Amino acid sequence: MIPAPLMQTAAIHTMRHLAMLLRLGPALWAAVAAMVAYTGHGAIRVLRRG
């Protein structure tokens, strides 16, 4: 069996990573949304022109 302190350390590390991902999540999604909106806008403009 795995010793309890090791399990606790692993759990703390996992929680820390999850917290970091949750904190970065909105920023990542905002960047993706901005990129999609930018490329979509450019594509629409090109299609309108052509």
Side-chain angles (χ1 to χ4, degrees):
M1 251 183 86
I2 301 165
L6 225 137
M7 284 285 287
Q8 207 170 10
T9 313
I12 288 165
H13 276 288
T14 309
M15 290 295 282
R16 201 173 288 165
H17 279 297
L18 280 171
M20 209 167 69
L21 275 173
L22 281 172
R23 211 174 296 153
L24 284 174
L28 281 173
W29 285 119
V32 168
M35 229 169 64
V36 168
Y38 182 75
T39 49
H41 185 68
I44 287 165
R45 210 190 288 163
V46 168
L47 283 170
R48 276 228 188 109
R49 204 188 305 153

